Every structure is written in C-alpha cells, then in structure tokens.
Amino acid sequence: VKGLPDMKAATVDLPNLKIDAGARLLPEILAHIPSIGEKQRRIVSEVGAVHVTGSLHGSLDKAEGTLDVATDIGRVLLAADYTALQHGNASIKSTAAIETVDAGKLSGNPEIGTVTAHVEASGNLSPRGYKGQIAMIVDEASFKGYHYNNAHVDLDVDGKNLKGQVSIDDENIGVTADGTVNMTKGEYACDVNVDIDRLNPYALGLTKKYEGYRLSGEFYADLAGDDVESMDGRAELSHLRFLKGDQEGVALNHLTLMASGSSMPQYIMVHSDIFDAQINGNYRFKDIVPSVRHILTDIFPALHTEINPDKKHLAERRANFDLRLEIKENETTNAWLKFIKSPVRAVSYTHLTLPT
C-alpha cells in the first residue's frame, strides 16, 4: 500500500486547548464503566467541576505542552517537554505547581488537609521505569490541624531505587533524612540516617499529653532482605532526648537492634541503656508487636491506658518465639519509670516463652 501518511511526521498544534466538565458529568460517565471502583468514583465526585486550559505542540518524536487544571478542591499547573530516544526510551522534563489542593478529600482521610507544593522532574522514561531526578518543595501541608512548612525532597530515582534527602524545618519540627532505599520485590534494602533536631508531638497534634516537650535524637538503619520478615542488618537509636526546657524529661543514650531474619531460627537482639532483649524463633513482626505490648503493660501498669492492647484478640494470636528481657537497674531506668509513673511489677530478669 502506498500513499499513506507517515505517522512519525505527523504534528500537533493546539495553542488554545480548553476542556470544561460539570460536577455531575464525570461521575455519570464513570457510573457506566464496571472496571471503575467505588473509591475512584468517590474521588471524582469530590473533585467536582473541572476546568482545563493549556496547549500542546510537537510530534511523536518531540513535544511540549502545558495544562492548567482547576477543580473544586484545588488547582494544578503542569508543564512538560518530551523527546523520543532509541529503544523505546524518552527524555522527559516536567514541572508541577500544586496550589492549595485538598489532599484529604482525595485520600478520604479527614485528618489530612490542603497541600501547596512545587515539583520538578528531569530524566529518562523506559520500559524499566523512570530514571532521573525529582525535586519537591512543600510550602505548606496540613495534618491533624497542624500546618507544616518548608519541606524539601531531593531524590535520584532508578526504577524502585531511591537515593537522596528529605528534610523539614519549621518551628515545631526539624528533621533531616538521607540515604538509599530499594523497593524492588525480593531485593528490599535501606541504608538511612535520620537526624531529629526537634519534634514537638503535642504542637503537631500527635499526642494529647506532654505539652511543651521536644524530642531529639539520631537514627540509623542498614537492613536488607527478600521481604520485611526476613530482613538482616542493624538499626541504632542514639542521643534520644524528650525534654521540657533543659532538664525536665527523659533521655536514652543508645539503643541498638541487630536482626537476622534469613537464618533458622530467626533472631533479634536489642541492647540499650534501659533493657536488653533477645528474640529467637520463627517469628512474624505482626505477632511480636502485640505480644510485646501485652508484656509491657504487665511490667509497667501505667502504660495500659497508653497502649490499650486488645487482650482477647491477642490471646487468639499464635506465636512461636522465645523472648528474653532484662530490665536494667540504673539511673536512666529509674528516670523513665518516674516519667511514666509506673513501678516495675516484675523481677529485673524475665524469661518469657511464647509457644505455638
């Protein structure tokens, strides 16, 4: 067949793109598509009326465009350049300005509020995924009534491998995290440092107690494994302080966790100023957490209202690991006991076996 147009040579020139959709139009269209779930229908309903303006210029080899999307829950401005490369790859540069978008309505979580941010991305897109840089500045984001300011994200992305830094610096929270994370299935790994300069949980709405207290400390983790349950590696928490003013409060100088989730039996060892512990057996983290909560409420009765474990549900769980716990008798331990207003109701060395 001869004389057909060459699609690669086709060009598009839409200098005044405009789309308007009323608040009821999109939900009515989606109602007739069985593959669209209830969650997606709810999100579209929350978005309401949509007004889009923009432009598109280029061809299959190279194109650029802009979009201004205004909805009932906020506005997003987009701009992107696209250049086709060999072997199905493409070079992409894009920016997005998010103007007071109600993320709570999008997610269905009433504790999340509006977000204002700016995002830039530059890299290559291939069948393997995206490889390049992503930078984001969050001017404001609200959660549980608190408005977070001045957050920065700078990442190098290679498929599901992330490397970079995340930071936030405002009056009630100053945290910096950097390192690498691999989320590839069967190759999970993280090598992360977190520096908490200040964190005021009461002001952030994370707790109803401890008004005026600030948390600070350092955290490090180097873990790898086929999945979360088989992680091997080490994690450390150091220089932890939870203080009101310069003196009132508690401290923890070090806590080190070493884990071998790939061995048989598995084990976790914890060393700290206050206690040492060791877990051996074939465990799952979802079994360990409620079991340890139950043990802690027996040792420290005052924690019962804070942790509030469901004992009936706990009794139905099946655990197959051995836990050794040693509560140390020293000034640091006494300070924590005084802080949580709870006397120890167990001997200093406890050997607990949680059978199948």
Side-chain angles (χ1 to χ4, degrees), residues 58-78:
S59 64
L60 293 178
D61 290 328
K62 185 176 178 63
E64 61 181 16
T66 62
L67 285 178
D68 181 344
V69 183
T71 73
D72 289 350
I73 62 170
R75 183 185 182 192
V76 178
L77 305 173
L78 301 169

PDB file of all heavy atoms in Angstrom, residues 58-78:
ATOM      1  N   GLY A  58       3.946  19.707  18.843  1.00  0.00           N
ATOM      2  CA  GLY A  58       5.000  18.749  18.578  1.00  0.00           C
ATOM      3  C   GLY A  58       4.543  17.557  17.769  1.00  0.00           C
ATOM      4  O   GLY A  58       3.527  17.590  17.066  1.00  0.00           O
ATOM      5  N   SER A  59       5.324  16.473  17.887  1.00  0.00           N
ATOM      6  CA  SER A  59       5.088  15.256  17.127  1.00  0.00           C
ATOM      7  C   SER A  59       5.377  14.058  18.022  1.00  0.00           C
ATOM      8  O   SER A  59       5.625  14.204  19.223  1.00  0.00           O
ATOM      9  CB  SER A  59       6.002  15.226  15.894  1.00  0.00           C
ATOM     10  OG  SER A  59       7.363  15.167  16.305  1.00  0.00           O
ATOM     11  N   LEU A  60       5.387  12.863  17.433  1.00  0.00           N
ATOM     12  CA  LEU A  60       5.712  11.664  18.204  1.00  0.00           C
ATOM     13  C   LEU A  60       7.171  11.661  18.657  1.00  0.00           C
ATOM     14  O   LEU A  60       7.527  10.977  19.616  1.00  0.00           O
ATOM     15  CB  LEU A  60       5.422  10.410  17.377  1.00  0.00           C
ATOM     16  CG  LEU A  60       3.941  10.130  17.066  1.00  0.00           C
ATOM     17  CD1 LEU A  60       3.815   8.885  16.197  1.00  0.00           C
ATOM     18  CD2 LEU A  60       3.151   9.957  18.357  1.00  0.00           C
ATOM     19  N   ASP A  61       8.034  12.405  17.957  1.00  0.00           N
ATOM     20  CA  ASP A  61       9.445  12.448  18.310  1.00  0.00           C
ATOM     21  C   ASP A  61       9.758  13.493  19.366  1.00  0.00           C
ATOM     22  O   ASP A  61      10.654  13.307  20.194  1.00  0.00           O
ATOM     23  CB  ASP A  61      10.300  12.734  17.068  1.00  0.00           C
ATOM     24  CG  ASP A  61      10.307  11.564  16.101  1.00  0.00           C
ATOM     25  OD1 ASP A  61      10.211  10.418  16.584  1.00  0.00           O
ATOM     26  OD2 ASP A  61      10.390  11.807  14.894  1.00  0.00           O
ATOM     27  N   LYS A  62       9.019  14.592  19.348  1.00  0.00           N
ATOM     28  CA  LYS A  62       9.318  15.673  20.283  1.00  0.00           C
ATOM     29  C   LYS A  62       8.064  16.509  20.496  1.00  0.00           C
ATOM     30  O   LYS A  62       7.393  16.875  19.530  1.00  0.00           O
ATOM     31  CB  LYS A  62      10.448  16.563  19.755  1.00  0.00           C
ATOM     32  CG  LYS A  62      10.910  17.640  20.729  1.00  0.00           C
ATOM     33  CD  LYS A  62      12.094  18.399  20.149  1.00  0.00           C
ATOM     34  CE  LYS A  62      12.557  19.510  21.080  1.00  0.00           C
ATOM     35  NZ  LYS A  62      13.043  18.996  22.373  1.00  0.00           N
ATOM     36  N   ALA A  63       7.743  16.752  21.765  1.00  0.00           N
ATOM     37  CA  ALA A  63       6.529  17.518  22.043  1.00  0.00           C
ATOM     38  C   ALA A  63       6.693  18.290  23.343  1.00  0.00           C
ATOM     39  O   ALA A  63       7.541  17.976  24.194  1.00  0.00           O
ATOM     40  CB  ALA A  63       5.330  16.573  22.143  1.00  0.00           C
ATOM     41  N   GLU A  64       5.885  19.331  23.469  1.00  0.00           N
ATOM     42  CA  GLU A  64       5.843  20.110  24.700  1.00  0.00           C
ATOM     43  C   GLU A  64       4.421  20.594  24.924  1.00  0.00           C
ATOM     44  O   GLU A  64       3.654  20.782  23.968  1.00  0.00           O
ATOM     45  CB  GLU A  64       6.792  21.301  24.633  1.00  0.00           C
ATOM     46  CG  GLU A  64       6.474  22.295  23.525  1.00  0.00           C
ATOM     47  CD  GLU A  64       7.465  23.447  23.479  1.00  0.00           C
ATOM     48  OE1 GLU A  64       8.533  23.319  24.081  1.00  0.00           O
ATOM     49  OE2 GLU A  64       7.135  24.473  22.851  1.00  0.00           O
ATOM     50  N   GLY A  65       4.079  20.752  26.195  1.00  0.00           N
ATOM     51  CA  GLY A  65       2.722  21.181  26.475  1.00  0.00           C
ATOM     52  C   GLY A  65       2.570  21.734  27.873  1.00  0.00           C
ATOM     53  O   GLY A  65       3.453  21.600  28.723  1.00  0.00           O
ATOM     54  N   THR A  66       1.459  22.396  28.100  1.00  0.00           N
ATOM     55  CA  THR A  66       1.131  22.944  29.411  1.00  0.00           C
ATOM     56  C   THR A  66      -0.338  22.649  29.704  1.00  0.00           C
ATOM     57  O   THR A  66      -1.162  22.547  28.786  1.00  0.00           O
ATOM     58  CB  THR A  66       1.349  24.462  29.481  1.00  0.00           C
ATOM     59  OG1 THR A  66       0.478  25.103  28.540  1.00  0.00           O
ATOM     60  CG2 THR A  66       2.801  24.824  29.174  1.00  0.00           C
ATOM     61  N   LEU A  67      -0.661  22.513  30.992  1.00  0.00           N
ATOM     62  CA  LEU A  67      -2.034  22.316  31.423  1.00  0.00           C
ATOM     63  C   LEU A  67      -2.278  23.124  32.697  1.00  0.00           C
ATOM     64  O   LEU A  67      -1.423  23.166  33.593  1.00  0.00           O
ATOM     65  CB  LEU A  67      -2.332  20.841  31.707  1.00  0.00           C
ATOM     66  CG  LEU A  67      -2.512  19.897  30.511  1.00  0.00           C
ATOM     67  CD1 LEU A  67      -2.749  18.479  31.019  1.00  0.00           C
ATOM     68  CD2 LEU A  67      -3.665  20.347  29.625  1.00  0.00           C
ATOM     69  N   ASP A  68      -3.427  23.727  32.773  1.00  0.00           N
ATOM     70  CA  ASP A  68      -3.883  24.421  33.974  1.00  0.00           C
ATOM     71  C   ASP A  68      -5.204  23.752  34.362  1.00  0.00           C
ATOM     72  O   ASP A  68      -6.220  23.923  33.688  1.00  0.00           O
ATOM     73  CB  ASP A  68      -4.082  25.910  33.684  1.00  0.00           C
ATOM     74  CG  ASP A  68      -4.534  26.698  34.913  1.00  0.00           C
ATOM     75  OD1 ASP A  68      -4.986  26.069  35.895  1.00  0.00           O
ATOM     76  OD2 ASP A  68      -4.449  27.935  34.892  1.00  0.00           O
ATOM     77  N   VAL A  69      -5.158  22.929  35.418  1.00  0.00           N
ATOM     78  CA  VAL A  69      -6.325  22.145  35.825  1.00  0.00           C
ATOM     79  C   VAL A  69      -6.900  22.752  37.106  1.00  0.00           C
ATOM     80  O   VAL A  69      -6.271  22.688  38.172  1.00  0.00           O
ATOM     81  CB  VAL A  69      -5.942  20.670  36.061  1.00  0.00           C
ATOM     82  CG1 VAL A  69      -7.188  19.860  36.412  1.00  0.00           C
ATOM     83  CG2 VAL A  69      -5.244  20.093  34.841  1.00  0.00           C
ATOM     84  N   ALA A  70      -8.092  23.327  37.014  1.00  0.00           N
ATOM     85  CA  ALA A  70      -8.758  23.927  38.167  1.00  0.00           C
ATOM     86  C   ALA A  70      -9.981  23.086  38.523  1.00  0.00           C
ATOM     87  O   ALA A  70     -10.787  22.750  37.644  1.00  0.00           O
ATOM     88  CB  ALA A  70      -9.173  25.363  37.855  1.00  0.00           C
ATOM     89  N   THR A  71     -10.100  22.710  39.802  1.00  0.00           N
ATOM     90  CA  THR A  71     -11.216  21.890  40.262  1.00  0.00           C
ATOM     91  C   THR A  71     -11.815  22.500  41.533  1.00  0.00           C
ATOM     92  O   THR A  71     -11.315  23.501  42.050  1.00  0.00           O
ATOM     93  CB  THR A  71     -10.756  20.456  40.565  1.00  0.00           C
ATOM     94  OG1 THR A  71      -9.986  20.452  41.776  1.00  0.00           O
ATOM     95  CG2 THR A  71      -9.900  19.898  39.431  1.00  0.00           C
ATOM     96  N   ASP A  72     -12.849  21.841  42.052  1.00  0.00           N
ATOM     97  CA  ASP A  72     -13.474  22.313  43.286  1.00  0.00           C
ATOM     98  C   ASP A  72     -12.574  22.120  44.503  1.00  0.00           C
ATOM     99  O   ASP A  72     -12.821  22.715  45.558  1.00  0.00           O
ATOM    100  CB  ASP A  72     -14.794  21.570  43.524  1.00  0.00           C
ATOM    101  CG  ASP A  72     -15.876  21.993  42.543  1.00  0.00           C
ATOM    102  OD1 ASP A  72     -15.657  22.983  41.813  1.00  0.00           O
ATOM    103  OD2 ASP A  72     -16.930  21.337  42.502  1.00  0.00           O
ATOM    104  N   ILE A  73     -11.536  21.275  44.395  1.00  0.00           N
ATOM    105  CA  ILE A  73     -10.676  21.009  45.562  1.00  0.00           C
ATOM    106  C   ILE A  73      -9.251  21.535  45.370  1.00  0.00           C
ATOM    107  O   ILE A  73      -8.354  21.195  46.142  1.00  0.00           O
ATOM    108  CB  ILE A  73     -10.627  19.503  45.886  1.00  0.00           C
ATOM    109  CG1 ILE A  73     -10.026  18.711  44.719  1.00  0.00           C
ATOM    110  CG2 ILE A  73     -12.001  18.969  46.243  1.00  0.00           C
ATOM    111  CD1 ILE A  73      -9.722  17.270  45.072  1.00  0.00           C
ATOM    112  N   GLY A  74      -9.021  22.373  44.355  1.00  0.00           N
ATOM    113  CA  GLY A  74      -7.700  22.946  44.175  1.00  0.00           C
ATOM    114  C   GLY A  74      -7.301  23.061  42.721  1.00  0.00           C
ATOM    115  O   GLY A  74      -8.068  22.726  41.811  1.00  0.00           O
ATOM    116  N   ARG A  75      -6.090  23.536  42.525  1.00  0.00           N
ATOM    117  CA  ARG A  75      -5.597  23.816  41.178  1.00  0.00           C
ATOM    118  C   ARG A  75      -4.184  23.266  41.009  1.00  0.00           C
ATOM    119  O   ARG A  75      -3.361  23.351  41.919  1.00  0.00           O
ATOM    120  CB  ARG A  75      -5.598  25.325  40.946  1.00  0.00           C
ATOM    121  CG  ARG A  75      -5.168  25.777  39.567  1.00  0.00           C
ATOM    122  CD  ARG A  75      -5.110  27.300  39.525  1.00  0.00           C
ATOM    123  NE  ARG A  75      -4.757  27.812  38.213  1.00  0.00           N
ATOM    124  CZ  ARG A  75      -4.419  29.070  37.964  1.00  0.00           C
ATOM    125  NH1 ARG A  75      -4.388  29.943  38.967  1.00  0.00           N
ATOM    126  NH2 ARG A  75      -4.108  29.461  36.740  1.00  0.00           N
ATOM    127  N   VAL A  76      -3.893  22.717  39.806  1.00  0.00           N
ATOM    128  CA  VAL A  76      -2.569  22.190  39.481  1.00  0.00           C
ATOM    129  C   VAL A  76      -2.143  22.739  38.120  1.00  0.00           C
ATOM    130  O   VAL A  76      -2.897  22.670  37.151  1.00  0.00           O
ATOM    131  CB  VAL A  76      -2.561  20.646  39.448  1.00  0.00           C
ATOM    132  CG1 VAL A  76      -1.179  20.128  39.062  1.00  0.00           C
ATOM    133  CG2 VAL A  76      -2.981  20.076  40.791  1.00  0.00           C
ATOM    134  N   LEU A  77      -0.918  23.274  38.060  1.00  0.00           N
ATOM    135  CA  LEU A  77      -0.342  23.775  36.808  1.00  0.00           C
ATOM    136  C   LEU A  77       0.766  22.822  36.383  1.00  0.00           C
ATOM    137  O   LEU A  77       1.695  22.538  37.150  1.00  0.00           O
ATOM    138  CB  LEU A  77       0.224  25.185  37.009  1.00  0.00           C
ATOM    139  CG  LEU A  77      -0.743  26.230  37.574  1.00  0.00           C
ATOM    140  CD1 LEU A  77       0.004  27.531  37.872  1.00  0.00           C
ATOM    141  CD2 LEU A  77      -1.878  26.488  36.599  1.00  0.00           C
ATOM    142  N   LEU A  78       0.696  22.326  35.152  1.00  0.00           N
ATOM    143  CA  LEU A  78       1.655  21.345  34.648  1.00  0.00           C
ATOM    144  C   LEU A  78       2.332  21.866  33.384  1.00  0.00           C
ATOM    145  O   LEU A  78       1.694  22.515  32.548  1.00  0.00           O
ATOM    146  CB  LEU A  78       0.951  20.024  34.326  1.00  0.00           C
ATOM    147  CG  LEU A  78       0.207  19.327  35.469  1.00  0.00           C
ATOM    148  CD1 LEU A  78      -0.652  18.197  34.922  1.00  0.00           C
ATOM    149  CD2 LEU A  78       1.188  18.798  36.496  1.00  0.00           C
TER     150      LEU A  78
END
